[in-house]
Amino acid sequence: MTTPLTASSPPAAPSMPSTPFAPTTPVAPADTSTPTGTPPQSAPAAPAPAPAPAPAPALTAPGFPETQVRARARLGTAAVFPDPTTYGSRLFGPENAPGPADALDRIRIVPPVFMPERLEKLIDLAREPEFDDVDLTTRIGGFTARLPLYLSAFGSTRAGSGDLAVHASRQAARLGIPMVIGENMVPVHGYRRTATKGGDTTRSALLARVEAYLEAAPDGVGGIVVQQSTEDADCEVWNLLYSDPAFRPLLDTGRLAFELKTGQGAKPGLGGMTVVGRAEAEELARRFTVREVFGADAPHQLRCAVPGTFTEEILSQQLRFMRNNFPKARTWVKFHPGRDIAHAARTAWAAGADAVTVDGAEGGTGWAPGVFLDQAGLPLAEALRRIGTPAGCLLATGRVWEGGRALRALALGARAVGLGRAALVAVDEDPAHGLRRLADALALELRLLISALGKYTPAALAPDDLWSPPPPFTPDPDPDPASDTVHGPFPAPAPGHPR
């Protein structure tokens, strides 16, 4: 019997099913006969106990394509394509992306017809180029990375400073990508090993992540970046790390960086926030502001860090201080998506920053006021548009989880993109391999897309590889009939397009 064709799209996100597929394996009928030489049984044997159900996921991520990320954490590169069991019986076409599309997701990737760079690659290889010929190796803030990716900062929040963060650190090392450790880890969790009541010692949250990364890191790639906030500075976190023998291998190989955090996309203009119990609040009140916003009788309180105060002069002095006092460490700076982001980025590069990170308003967090999550900060696409052609290494974060969004950010000037919520959800799905599989799927999509554009490195991407839908039509108050120029939302690349 012939299986009828259906003209429906796959049931979920572009290029992947919403429900993880499994190979269709025929099940043999049960053998009810008595084996030779075995006496008949008067009653059937008791059925084997059912396997224990898998533990429920510990994390949820509303408004984020969590289902798709979890499927990639299980299936890896297979999740880039529709369910292979539907091949030959289903016709595929465009469908809507998961969740609401922001300005970056609405941009189309537009391969050209004529591809001179593909011709150059053909001559170089003496054969037709393929997508596997795309080299994703990237220089990120002074480090060499195997992919244009890095693990975004997880700070002192409960979701970002426990075992999931350690699993993510280990897998980031194996992938050969840099890892950023977020703010307030030392003021909240301490730095040295601490003794328990039973006499055992436990690693500090920061050192646990560092050790997991170092144990798995290949030679010559990746690196560790440690943020510092105002409260971290009071604890002299960078001094502790720079003088600690445990960090000597990173310093000797040029794989340690310090990142000055001025803000984050999820709550621009505010410092870090966490929810703590009353006993912990009493301990932290010496270093942080603690508020009873949940009610006088509530078991929880709000712990707030200060955002720090920056001007052009203060920022420049801070970055020069970092370069002078920690000459073996790379200098990074992270900005929230402020309206003056272009001025801030130029100031940082002029002061010698090895990397500037812009965290779009779509970025995730472990805790923030709802009004900031929904209404504050520039979207990542607009922040990148305002920066234009970067004068140094530009890094971008904000809802990155698949290759299309990553490529758009790269084409708009970013050198690499960060995985934050996607990484935590992936390791929550599979602590041993989830992040690696997620990155494998994203890397395959990047290779397919970059080669489709007739290019073979991420650095070759440019704004003209993208097309943005025009805004709703508004009459031109002073039309020029002699002009037929189409003005897009993104600047044309400067000659050479330095990346």
Side-chain angles (χ1 to χ4, degrees), residues 37 60 63 72 92 118 226 295 305 328 352 381 387 401 451 453 457 467 492:
T60 60
R72 289 176 174 228
F92 301 95
R118 179 173 288 179
V226 181
K328 289 188 175 182
I387 293 172
W401 66 279
S451 68
L453 291 164
T457 65
W467 173 81

Side-chain angles (χ1 to χ4, degrees), residues 383-409:
L384 295 173
R385 186 197 69 80
R386 294 192 181 198
I387 293 172
T389 301
C393 178
L394 176 64
L395 309 178
T397 62
R399 208 171 183 269
V400 177
W401 66 279
E402 49 85 37
R405 188 173 179 87
L407 183 135
R408 295 180 188 96

